[in-house]
Amino acid sequence: MPLLLACLLLAACAHRPAASLQELPPLRLSPASLGQTISVQQRLHFSFGAQQRELDALLEVDGHEVRLLVLALGQSGVRLRWDGRELQQQRAPWLPPAVRGERVLDDLQFVRWPAEAIRAALPEGWQLQQSPGVRTLLHGGTAWLVATELSPQRVRLENLAEGYRLEIESADGETQ
């Protein structure tokens, strides 16, 4: 439930802060560490300040690869493939350079992957707290990334470091 595509939506808004308040650590978790196969269609609602956008996404994860397609206005904006070692991106020429596939992948993994896998990937000084329906990434006691389950098919991701919010609405029957 990315995706975490917040970066894509962020770029679509063409507004981005000059610098993040805190650089978030990369996760780069293996596809196999998810522990399940996923194939889901998602609607992404992105907010950055007063700007709001909607995108569609198709997400597939198996033991070997993460595949993500993000559509904007019916056109393919980004295709991502992650095999646990290399991130491949195909980008539409109209996308601004601020769209970072790495951030999209990290958002996706923060929302979807098991807490144990995330904790194992965090550098010193970072903590993952998890309570029913809420997952929080902290550094120095400050929350920088928060995922809240609003319903079984809807998650809100708040990236406090970069100043955006992403609500991910998934179609029913997503896990195989």
Side-chain angles (χ1 to χ4, degrees):
M1 288 195 265
L3 266 189
L4 325 190
L5 305 167
C7 296
L8 299 172
L9 298 168
L10 182 66
C13 295
H15 291 90
R16 183 177 167 100
S20 297
L21 296 173
Q22 171 70 50
E23 187 172 335
L24 300 175
L27 296 178
R28 308 301 185 271
L29 306 173
S30 74
S33 67
L34 177 61
Q36 63 182 326
T37 298
I38 294 175
S39 180
V40 63
Q41 184 173 358
Q42 300 175 319
R43 172 66 47 105
L44 309 171
H45 307 273
F46 175 77
S47 301
F48 179 76
Q51 300 291 318
Q52 295 189 19
R53 297 286 187 264
E54 284 194 11
L55 297 174
D56 292 313
L58 302 172
L59 171 65
E60 294 180 336
V61 183
D62 59 32
H64 305 287
E65 193 171 66
V66 175
R67 293 172 297 282
L68 176 67
L69 171 64
V70 178
L71 303 167
L73 303 171
Q75 296 182 356
S76 174
V78 171
R79 290 179 188 264
L80 299 177
R81 289 185 176 278
W82 168 250
D83 65 6
R85 293 179 306 277
E86 181 182 359
L87 178 63
Q88 299 174 4
Q89 300 180 57
Q90 293 177 330
R91 304 162 40 91
W94 45 266
L95 278 177
V99 175
R100 299 181 337 268
E102 297 83 358
R103 181 74 251 150
V104 173
L105 178 63
D106 287 340
D107 284 352
L108 166 63
Q109 291 184 331
F110 181 74
V111 170
R112 290 262 184 191
W113 265 241
E116 306 79 49
I118 295 170
R119 282 187 183 106
L122 292 176
E124 188 174 329
W126 287 89
Q127 293 180 322
L128 177 68
Q129 288 184 350
Q130 186 159 341
S131 59
V134 180
R135 183 176 276 189
T136 306
L137 184 63
L138 299 110
H139 186 265
T142 301
W144 292 105
L145 194 60
V146 180
T148 306
E149 184 178 312
L150 304 174
S151 75
Q153 284 79 37
R154 195 173 181 100
V155 173
R156 178 179 54 230
L157 177 74
E158 294 177 87
N159 184 321
L160 303 168
E162 295 186 19
Y164 63 81
R165 179 185 310 191
L166 178 64
E167 287 194 21
I168 305 150
E169 187 174 355
S170 299
D172 290 334
E174 64 182 60
T175 304
Q176 300 176 345

